[in-house]
Amino acid sequence: MSRPAGDPISELTMGRSGGFDIADEALADSVRQGLARVERLLRESVRSDFEFATRTSLHLVDAGGKRFRPLFALLAAQFGDPDAEGVIKSAAVVEMIHLATLYHDDVMDEATMRRGATSANARWDNSVAILTGDFLFARASRLIADLGSEAVRQMAGTFEALVTGQMRETVGVGPDEDAVEFYLTVIYEKTGSLIATAGRFGAWFSGVDEATIDALERVGRILGTGFQISDDIIDIASPANESGKTPGTDLREGVRTLPMLYALADEDTSPRLRELLAGPLTVDAEVDEALELLRASNGLARTRATLDEFADDARKELASLPDVPAREALWMLVDYVVARTR
């Protein structure tokens, strides 16, 4: 059974030590009200005359989640007029597109669970999941058409990045390509691009100047990529009782994440770890062995250093922004992305 959506700010705060919180009460209240409006618009926008389409679309809407993308859009809007026309609608658009990609991802990954609920492809079938994702893309397109041709153009570029990122991942790195750079490109396109657009939309529709819009878009790009890197670290370094996730999921799926790529690029990495990283691991003992070797490897240390570099880049962008409560909140969000891996 789907669980109701929680408070996205609280969900982030309930993470590991050093969690994200909004200290300014007025800002926190404004963002919560905005998220409530986004939630209502999401539910209104997926309703169809065909009841089955409504039911399958609400499946993941009702499953909740952090609502990270609309949260970031609403924080970006605080640098201008957060109540300006288009802010809520653009925040809902980026979340609806994100949800649509999840339906498609679950089919490609043959997933059975999503956000604590049975995935749509497992509950119904692959065709229903794919069509539901397509339906959400269509409804998102209808919303964004109300925001003007430039918004449509911006989202078209984001669509392209989302698709090419998935295509790159599916095809894999070529023999003449750098595996680390290839991976960073993939996670930017698959994750960072939409969060960057969330920042641009929130700032743009709130009426701020172009320099602020560009800076917040860059912060979104960095945060989105950094968040995936932090997930890579958590999958290896964090016990299940702390992270809430099963360690070694990527090892079981044969996915080479950044710590693994760095380990494989290190000439001092043991032959045994290279052997274990050659393909998916199906034996629990081998997963545990690989995790132990990765935790001691230079690959994990280099990944932490890379995440710190992304965080520093985000802080430099934030330092150029006007000194308003939202800037401190975004600074704390950057700190949270790093702290959740410690």
Side-chain angles (χ1 to χ4, degrees), residues 84-166:
E85 184 178 0
V87 168
I88 298 300
K89 187 169 288 188
S90 65
V93 164
V94 293
E95 182 65 12
M96 195 177 298
I97 289 171
H98 172 58
L99 290 173
T101 66
L102 297 184
Y103 282 91
H104 289 176
D105 284 351
D106 285 345
V107 172
M108 296 188 69
D109 297 341
E110 299 180 354
T112 58
M113 297 293 293
R114 169 68 69 175
R115 294 178 172 176
T118 304
S119 61
N121 52 301
R123 179 171 177 176
W124 292 287
D125 58 34
N126 285 346
S127 296
V128 168
I130 292 169
L131 291 169
T132 302
D134 292 345
F135 177 79
L136 289 176
F137 279 130
R139 286 302 175 93
S141 298
R142 178 184 294 183
L143 282 180
I144 203 168
D146 295 338
L147 298 174
S149 60
E150 187 56 37
V152 172
R153 186 175 295 108
Q154 172 71 29
M155 189 51 71
T158 307
F159 273 137
E160 181 180 347
L162 291 168
V163 172
T164 56
Q166 186 61 64

Side-chain angles (χ1 to χ4, degrees), residues 179-180 183 236 251 255-278 290-304 306:
V180 170
Y183 181 75
I236 292 168
L251 289 166
V255 176
R256 287 185 174 178
T257 60
L258 194 57
M260 302 178 206
L261 293 172
Y262 277 144
L264 289 169
D266 184 359
E267 61 182 18
D268 293 329
T269 294
S270 69
R272 177 55 178 163
L273 180 54
R274 294 180 186 279
E275 179 185 350
L276 290 168
L277 296 181
L291 286 172
E292 193 66 28
L293 290 170
L294 280 166
R295 287 166 185 162
S297 75
N298 187 47
L300 188 59
R302 285 190 65 186
T303 303
R304 291 191 189 279
T306 298

Side-chain angles (χ1 to χ4, degrees), residues 9-10 12-13 18-24 28 32 328-329 332-333 336:
I9 298 174
S10 296
L12 284 173
T13 306
F20 170 65
D21 199 4
I22 296 179
D24 187 281
R32 283 193 173 93
E328 181 182 355
M332 292 298 296
L333 188 55
Y336 163 76

Side-chain angles (χ1 to χ4, degrees), residues 13 36 42 64 84 96 125 142 150 178 185 250 284 308 312 335:
T13 306
L42 280 174
M96 195 177 298
D125 58 34
R142 178 184 294 183
E150 187 56 37
D178 181 86
T185 298
D250 295 321
D284 287 346
D308 288 339
D312 286 342
D335 289 345

Side-chain angles (χ1 to χ4, degrees), residues 31-254:
V31 171
R32 283 193 173 93
Q33 288 184 37
L35 286 168
R37 292 174 62 193
V38 169
E39 207 69 29
R40 287 194 294 270
L41 182 56
L42 280 174
R43 283 168 168 73
E44 292 167 5
S45 299
V46 302
R47 296 198 177 278
S48 168
D49 292 339
F50 182 40
E51 190 276 336
F52 183 72
T54 302
R55 180 150 49 97
T56 60
S57 298
L58 284 173
H59 181 67
L60 279 188
V61 174
D62 288 341
K66 294 182 179 66
R67 299 290 192 254
F68 185 90
R69 290 152 188 80
L71 173 64
F72 183 62
L74 294 176
L75 284 171
Q78 293 288 330
F79 289 87
D81 178 6
D83 297 318
E85 184 178 0
V87 168
I88 298 300
K89 187 169 288 188
S90 65
V93 164
V94 293
E95 182 65 12
M96 195 177 298
I97 289 171
H98 172 58
L99 290 173
T101 66
L102 297 184
Y103 282 91
H104 289 176
D105 284 351
D106 285 345
V107 172
M108 296 188 69
D109 297 341
E110 299 180 354
T112 58
M113 297 293 293
R114 169 68 69 175
R115 294 178 172 176
T118 304
S119 61
N121 52 301
R123 179 171 177 176
W124 292 287
D125 58 34
N126 285 346
S127 296
V128 168
I130 292 169
L131 291 169
T132 302
D134 292 345
F135 177 79
L136 289 176
F137 279 130
R139 286 302 175 93
S141 298
R142 178 184 294 183
L143 282 180
I144 203 168
D146 295 338
L147 298 174
S149 60
E150 187 56 37
V152 172
R153 186 175 295 108
Q154 172 71 29
M155 189 51 71
T158 307
F159 273 137
E160 181 180 347
L162 291 168
V163 172
T164 56
Q166 186 61 64
M167 290 177 71
R168 284 184 211 275
E169 185 176 73
T170 301
V171 173
V173 62
D176 298 324
E177 294 179 284
D178 181 86
V180 170
E181 290 303 316
F182 180 87
Y183 181 75
L184 291 174
T185 298
V186 167
I187 62 175
Y188 159 66
E189 290 180 331
K190 287 189 61 178
T191 304
S193 64
L194 189 56
I195 296 175
T197 297
R200 167 164 284 273
F201 277 176
W204 179 16
F205 288 109
S206 74
V208 302
D209 60 88
E210 192 64 32
T212 301
I213 294 171
D214 289 344
L216 285 162
E217 182 178 29
R218 288 192 294 270
V219 171
R221 175 184 184 133
I222 296 165
L223 267 178
T225 308
F227 215 99
Q228 182 57 57
I229 293 172
S230 70
D231 272 352
D232 292 350
I233 295 171
I234 289 169
D235 188 61
I236 292 168
S238 299
N241 62 337
E242 291 185 15
S243 67
K245 301 178 181 180
T246 303
T249 299
D250 295 321
L251 289 166
R252 289 180 173 88
E253 294 176 355

